[in-house]
Amino acid sequence: MKKFTKLCGMVLAVGLCVAVTACGKQQDSQENAEYPTIGTQAEGAFDILLKNNIGQDITALSVKLDTEQQYPENMLATDFVLKNGETAQWFYMPQEAETAPENETEFLLNPLYQVQVTAADASVYEISSFGFEDIEKEAELCLEDDVLFIQYTSKESGSIVSTKEQEQAAKAQKAEMEKEEAERIAAEQAEAERIAAEKTEAEKAAAHAVQKEKMEKAAAQKVQAQQPVPQQPAPTQVPVEEIPQQSTEGCLTEGGGPVFND
């Protein structure tokens, strides 16, 4: 009886070891499962398992710093599409933190990453703040109420984090800023149009004044030309005084009188 009990215990122990080994192998198999790759694996790169749960395929994925104006090229390989419900292993090399002076003291600026996603229907969505540093391993892209956000397990707190409310606030703020910018541009355009209209009116008034002056001069010249020319009186002739002719028959004496010959 004791031998039988001992034998049964050995069988159960072996079975438990086999079960534990099989479970461990299954877990290792799941952890080492191959996923489509985004980016390039390198030392220092973020390594995230990114799941697409936005309801449609993703055709483009791009990342930039919030200080940059334009997103760089698509990180997805040519002809690669991240299917809805599919998970990919995403490698992203972080940008170096910038150094900026403030009151002659330098401090490090933590980079803030923004992610742009293009869906299969050509809709473009943006995540205003993607916390690579805080993501434990897996991140899920979600789309609700036309807002793109992520869900993940936080390294810092260990709890599940959703950025939906944060992204809703960021979207509302962006819309308000775009509205203010549109109003500013419209006001500047209206002011420019007003100045242009005033300039045009001033130019028209100046041209009208010049044309009026020319017309008045032409009319004055026409009136002057039509007036009769006054007749100038004929010059009066002054009578010429006749000088008496002197006789050469006598000669003048020394006293001035004539001398007569006997």
Side-chain angles (χ1 to χ4, degrees):
M1 185 66 180
K2 291 182 179 180
K3 289 183 178 180
F4 179 76
T5 303
K6 186 177 181 181
L7 180 61
C8 288
M10 292 177 63
V11 171
L12 289 174
V14 171
L16 181 61
C17 290
V18 171
V20 170
T21 303
C23 183
K25 287 184 178 180
Q26 183 178 3
Q27 184 176 359
D28 292 341
S29 177
Q30 290 177 350
E31 290 180 353
N32 296 327
E34 293 184 359
Y35 297 98
T37 301
I38 302 172
T40 304
Q41 184 176 6
E43 184 178 357
F46 293 116
D47 183 1
I48 296 174
L49 292 179
L50 184 67
K51 183 178 180 180
N52 174 14
N53 194 25
I54 69 171
Q56 56 179 314
D57 297 346
I58 293 175
T59 59
L61 178 70
S62 185
V63 183
K64 75 175 184 68
L65 293 173
D66 65 330
T67 55
E68 297 176 314
Q69 297 297 324
Q70 301 293 332
Y71 280 94
E73 61 183 8
N74 179 18
M75 290 191 67
L76 301 185
T78 305
D79 299 330
F80 174 73
V81 173
L82 185 60
K83 301 290 185 180
N84 182 47
E86 186 178 22
T87 299
Q89 191 166 14
W90 185 16
F91 297 103
Y92 180 74
M93 182 62 67
Q95 300 288 339
E96 294 183 0
E98 298 179 356
T99 302
E102 182 181 22
N103 297 329
E104 300 182 357
T105 302
E106 293 187 350
F107 64 97
L108 291 180
L109 296 175
N110 293 324
L112 180 63
Y113 297 100
Q114 296 178 332
V115 175
Q116 185 183 74
V117 171
T118 303
D121 64 355
S123 298
V124 179
Y125 303 96
E126 183 183 59
I127 295 178
S128 63
S129 179
F130 197 98
F132 283 101
E133 300 87 349
D134 192 41
I135 297 175
E136 181 68 38
K137 181 62 179 179
E138 299 179 1
E140 184 177 354
L141 283 174
C142 305
L143 182 65
E144 295 178 4
D145 303 324
D146 202 35
V147 174
L148 182 68
F149 61 97
I150 58 173
Q151 293 185 156
Y152 64 92
T153 300
S154 170
K155 286 182 180 179
E156 183 177 352
S157 64
S159 59
I160 297 177
V161 175
S162 172
T163 64
K164 182 178 179 179
E165 291 184 0
Q166 177 183 345
E167 293 304 325
Q168 285 178 324
K171 183 177 180 180
Q173 182 180 12
K174 183 178 180 181
E176 183 64 24
M177 292 176 62
E178 289 177 349
K179 179 182 177 181
E180 292 177 356
E181 180 66 11
E183 291 175 350
R184 183 188 65 80
I185 293 174
E188 289 181 352
Q189 184 176 357
E191 179 65 13
E193 290 177 353
R194 184 188 67 80
I195 293 174
E198 289 181 353
K199 182 179 179 182
T200 301
E201 289 299 322
E203 290 175 349
K204 287 182 178 179
H208 179 72
V210 172
Q211 184 67 20
K212 182 179 180 182
E213 183 179 0
K214 289 181 178 179
M215 293 177 63
E216 289 176 350
K217 283 185 177 181
Q221 291 176 355
K222 184 177 181 181
V223 171
Q224 186 176 4
Q226 292 176 350
Q227 289 180 352
V229 179
Q231 298 293 331
Q232 296 291 335
T236 56
Q237 294 182 353
V238 179
V240 180
E241 183 181 357
E242 294 183 359
I243 300 174
Q245 295 182 356
Q246 295 180 354
S247 175
T248 57
E249 293 181 357
C251 297
L252 294 177
T253 63
E254 186 177 351
V259 177
F260 295 100
N261 294 324
D262 293 335

